[in-house]
Amino acid sequence: MGVLIVLTGKNYDHRRDWVEFQLLKLAAVFAIDIVAYAVMSNHLHLVLRVDIYEANAWSDREVVEHWHRLFKGTDITQKFAKGEVVESFEVNSLKHSIAQYRSRLSDISWFMRALNEPIARMANKEDKCTGRFWEGRFKSQALLDDAAILACMAYVDLNPIRAKMATTPERSNFTSIQRRIKAALDGEQPTSLLPFVGNERKDMPKGLMFNAKDYLQLVDDTGRIIRQDKRGAISQTSQRILDRLNIPQENWLKLSTDFGRLFKGAVGTLQELDAFCEHQEKKRRQGAANCHRWLDSA
């Protein structure tokens, strides 16, 4: 699981729907799940889950079909997708392309490229200019455990409220929390977002190990506290989630409001951070002090 932040450097509110539309389109193409997002006036927050297992489970034809929904591919992959005969001397080239596409379809850099390029073309056409839409390359960090994931999700979902662009989560336009609330009113979950699947159990389906209703309550409670003109408190339902994750209430409020400033590298308990650094062959545990203070303090 990871969080991304990208900047445009300019304020183009009318283009926020371009970004949201393309973002949700990509969720159906890549083996990357959207966990949370907030399209702000001049930047974008994303929480993503890369699903390499899904990409590896796709057949060769499925890989090509997914890729062709965004890119032209090659003459050989086009022939393959149409069910035409691929000559023996073309097989190696086809296999190479499929392996490359399979890798790219679970790659965050390619996901961001597929998000950026069509929006840049639309913006350049509107502005009668050329160039990139985003100001710089995206920044990303790994979320290593449930507490880090939950805190980062709430941080992203509450962006408009902290920025005073909205008064409540349901009025926060171009966000995952608004989409989840609208679906919840019909007793459903958005198909374009990684679903909530409840507590961990045998034969666990893919999804977030929380209850959707509980998460929405937690975000609403936290949003009420953030708003200076409205008194708020953590409800018993929300407190149970925090207790399960061993997050004291004062820590939760700090995490959900200052997550972006507190952490610059991987986020999780020191145990998870140690395992991550060992896997990445990194000797220096960047941000270990804040991870210990805010996620290991219970």
Side-chain angles (χ1 to χ4, degrees):
M1 200 83 70
V3 59
L4 307 172
I5 302 175
V6 290
L7 302 172
T8 64
K10 298 180 180 180
N11 186 330
Y12 288 119
D13 277 345
H14 69 286
R15 295 177 180 173
R16 293 166 72 194
D17 59 336
W18 297 1
V19 177
E20 183 178 46
F21 177 84
Q22 182 68 9
L23 184 63
L24 298 176
K25 175 183 175 181
L26 296 181
V29 177
F30 280 78
I32 295 178
D33 299 302
I34 299 175
V35 181
Y37 69 85
V39 185
M40 305 297 284
S41 297
N42 66 348
H43 65 282
L44 165 68
H45 290 266
L46 279 174
V47 180
L48 303 174
R49 177 185 182 274
V50 176
D51 192 345
I52 295 176
Y53 298 105
E54 180 183 14
N56 290 338
W58 286 338
S59 67
D60 289 350
R61 186 171 298 280
E62 286 175 321
V63 169
V64 172
E65 289 173 349
H66 275 251
W67 187 256
H68 285 175
R69 290 171 67 179
L70 298 173
F71 304 100
K72 183 178 179 180
T74 68
D75 291 341
I76 299 174
T77 62
Q78 288 289 343
K79 285 173 62 176
F80 177 71
K82 295 174 184 176
E84 298 175 2
V85 175
V86 176
E87 304 294 340
S88 58
F89 68 88
E90 298 174 317
V91 170
N92 285 339
S93 176
L94 175 63
K95 288 182 177 180
H96 174 76
S97 294
I98 291 173
Q100 188 178 63
Y101 298 165
R102 192 186 300 274
S103 174
R104 289 176 177 177
L105 286 167
S106 59
D107 186 295
I108 290 177
S109 292
W110 273 91
F111 184 95
M112 295 307 299
R113 177 177 175 174
L115 176 63
N116 171 51
E117 290 184 351
I119 295 172
R121 286 194 295 269
M122 293 167 66
N124 289 341
K125 182 178 180 180
E126 184 178 76
D127 294 340
K128 295 181 175 60
C129 68
T130 60
R132 299 171 60 180
F133 182 69
W134 306 116
E135 185 177 76
R137 193 178 188 277
F138 65 85
K139 300 175 183 178
S140 65
Q141 58 195 127
L143 306 177
L144 305 178
D145 53 35
D146 286 344
I149 293 168
L150 191 77
C152 190
M153 285 181 65
Y155 171 78
V156 169
D157 281 333
L158 289 167
N159 252 270
I161 292 178
R162 287 197 307 275
K164 301 188 184 304
M165 294 173 64
T167 55
T168 61
E170 60 267 27
R171 293 181 180 177
S172 299
N173 296 328
F174 309 108
T175 62
S176 51
I177 191 66
Q178 185 184 64
R179 189 165 292 272
R180 289 191 188 277
I181 290 171
K182 287 181 178 179
L185 293 175
D186 295 323
E188 300 175 351
Q189 295 197 57
T191 56
S192 54
L193 301 177
L194 187 68
F196 290 93
V197 294
N199 296 334
E200 189 172 3
R201 57 192 183 276
K202 189 177 180 181
D203 299 325
M204 190 74 181
K206 183 176 76 171
L208 297 159
M209 289 188 288
F210 306 98
N211 179 276
K213 184 177 179 180
D214 291 349
Y215 175 74
L216 296 181
Q217 180 68 58
L218 178 61
V219 171
D220 185 64
D221 290 347
T222 309
R224 289 172 185 270
I225 295 174
I226 289 174
R227 286 185 55 190
Q228 295 180 354
D229 63 334
K230 198 168 188 177
R231 294 184 62 186
I234 294 294
S235 65
Q236 289 186 346
T237 298
S238 297
Q239 188 61 53
R240 283 196 294 270
I241 299 179
L242 301 184
D243 290 343
R244 172 188 151 196
L245 297 174
N246 295 318
I247 302 177
Q249 188 175 135
E250 59 271 22
N251 285 27
W252 170 255
L253 295 177
K254 183 69 174 177
L255 288 166
S256 57
T257 54
D258 291 331
F259 193 97
R261 287 190 288 269
L262 291 175
F263 307 107
K264 302 304 178 185
V267 187
T269 62
L270 288 185
Q271 181 180 355
E272 293 292 345
L273 191 59
D274 284 340
F276 175 80
C277 290
E278 182 178 349
H279 179 72
Q280 297 288 319
E281 298 182 348
K282 293 182 178 180
K283 294 183 179 179
R284 184 169 176 266
R285 299 185 307 174
Q286 183 182 15
N290 273 348
C291 285
H292 176 63
R293 179 179 179 181
W294 300 108
L295 293 170
D296 269 328
S297 59

